[in-house]
Amino acid sequence: MVDAYRGGHPWPLHSEKSALRLAERLEPDGSIAASAVDDLVRAVDTAQKSARDLGTEGLITLATSAVRDASNGEEVLARVHAETGIELQVLSGEDEARLTFLAVRRWFGWSAGKLLVLDIGGGSLEIAAGVDELPDVAVSMPLGAGRLTRDWLGEDPPTDAGVERLTDYVTDRLNEAAATVTKLAPFDRVVATSKTFRTLARLSGAAPSGAGLRVPRSLSLTGLHQTLGFVRRLPSTALAELDGVSPRRAHQLVAGAVVAESTMWRLGVRELDICPWALREGVILRYLDQLGE
């Protein structure tokens, strides 16, 4: 919940989260498991009731890669609507990248110049680049930390062979996107968003979240490589105890680190900045922009 108006800074007032992990709860045919759909319906209903109780004047309801890519995505959306009255709008991967890019542009401003933005979610990786408020290139790939953990890293901690196979897979999948994105290089500023990148930056020595949103944070490729070498040896229970690691995301950290390192290496990025704004803020900013249209 935010206090916001067109042209103003969106100030967060309240936040609630339900950990669903839909990208990890798929059946062999690619459909979201029935128990996961049950949890989704409950989460949407709870969020709707909270919004109503808090007196919100508008409600934005979106679904991303987990629902978008599921073989039963349409049925899931229909059930959510039938049982809650909420009609979830499914974002395309490219729109995810564009809206995240918008949030980063607004956070850093025009002085950031030509931007390259990276975002790792549970189901997908988004890359966007450009000089305006909307990017010239926006790419989405099914390389999310949750999805890859489910498909490639079955042991905890993962085996060396498993991590190497995953690294080869991610690097291969990045080739086409990297060829497109690097045509816009050089970039004035490279920025990463998402909990995955924030966690990796913290483990590499960046300031803790308690220091505030506006404290500069960065992540180098060297620091990331060292962090990956450390976290791949630990079980998720041990990772969950580290400062800056969310217990419910600890099991995804190795896959997220592999994607982050492979992406930075493939795009020739030696260091990047961390932005606290991401897709959520981009959606809010676009909504506010449209109020005056």
Side-chain angles (χ1 to χ4, degrees):
M1 179 179 177
V2 295
D3 180 10
Y5 56 90
R6 190 179 185 215
H9 187 296
W11 295 102
L13 298 179
H14 179 78
S15 178
E16 293 182 21
K17 295 183 180 180
S18 299
L20 302 178
R21 297 178 184 169
L22 299 183
E24 300 177 57
R25 301 169 67 184
L26 299 181
E27 302 291 0
D29 64 354
S31 64
I32 299 175
S35 61
V37 180
D38 293 340
D39 290 345
L40 173 61
V41 171
R42 281 192 292 269
V44 171
D45 191 50
T46 298
Q48 177 183 213
K49 290 175 180 175
S50 294
R52 185 166 54 243
D53 292 343
L54 290 165
T56 57
E57 296 180 0
L59 192 63
I60 305 173
T61 59
L62 298 173
T64 55
S65 62
V67 175
R68 180 175 68 235
D69 298 336
S71 61
N72 63 337
E74 291 297 327
E75 291 85 352
V76 171
L77 295 171
R79 183 179 164 195
V80 169
H81 183 252
E83 297 190 25
T84 70
I86 293 293
E87 188 170 349
L88 292 174
Q89 304 298 313
V90 180
L91 277 180
S92 69
E94 290 74 19
D95 280 342
E96 280 194 59
R98 293 185 187 102
L99 290 167
T100 301
F101 185 91
L102 172 64
V104 173
R105 171 61 75 193
R106 294 281 179 92
W107 180 266
F108 286 107
W110 294 113
S111 64
K114 188 187 295 184
L115 279 172
L116 171 62
V117 176
L118 313 177
D119 180 275
I120 301 172
S124 60
L125 162 72
E126 275 72 49
I127 303 174
V131 296
D132 297 319
E133 284 212 324
L134 293 180
D136 298 307
V137 172
V139 179
S140 178
M141 288 164 286
L143 298 177
R147 184 193 300 270
L148 296 179
T149 299
R150 180 199 71 214
D151 292 345
W152 291 86
L153 302 180
E155 299 183 52
D156 186 15
T159 63
D160 288 342
V163 173
E164 295 309 315
R165 284 194 297 269
L166 174 59
T167 301
D168 291 342
Y169 170 75
V170 172
T171 302
D172 183 64
R173 288 298 303 266
L174 283 167
N175 284 335
E176 183 177 349
T180 300
V181 172
T182 53
K183 290 178 181 178
L184 296 178
F187 300 100
D188 299 305
R189 194 162 200 162
V190 182
V191 179
T193 71
S194 75
K195 181 65 175 178
T196 294
F197 271 113
R198 291 197 299 272
T199 298
L200 293 170
R202 175 65 186 126
L203 293 175
S204 298
S209 58
L213 290 180
R214 290 174 174 78
V215 173
R217 295 174 175 86
S218 62
L219 176 64
S220 69
L221 184 58
T222 299
L224 175 57
H225 181 73
Q226 293 171 344
T227 297
L228 175 56
F230 169 65
V231 300
R232 65 188 288 180
R233 308 297 178 191
L234 299 178
S236 58
T237 52
L239 291 175
E241 297 179 359
L242 298 178
D243 182 36
V245 178
S246 168
R248 73 170 186 264
R249 295 174 183 262
H251 67 294
Q252 301 179 6
L253 188 57
V254 173
V258 168
V259 175
E261 182 182 43
S262 299
T263 304
M264 290 179 68
W265 176 81
R266 189 62 186 81
L267 296 178
V269 174
R270 304 299 302 179
E271 187 168 7
L272 51 76
D273 297 317
I274 302 296
C275 179
W277 279 7
L279 175 61
R280 178 179 59 184
E281 288 75 17
V283 169
I284 293 169
L285 291 166
R286 176 56 66 214
Y287 174 80
L288 295 174
D289 288 346
Q290 292 172 344
L291 290 179
E293 296 180 354

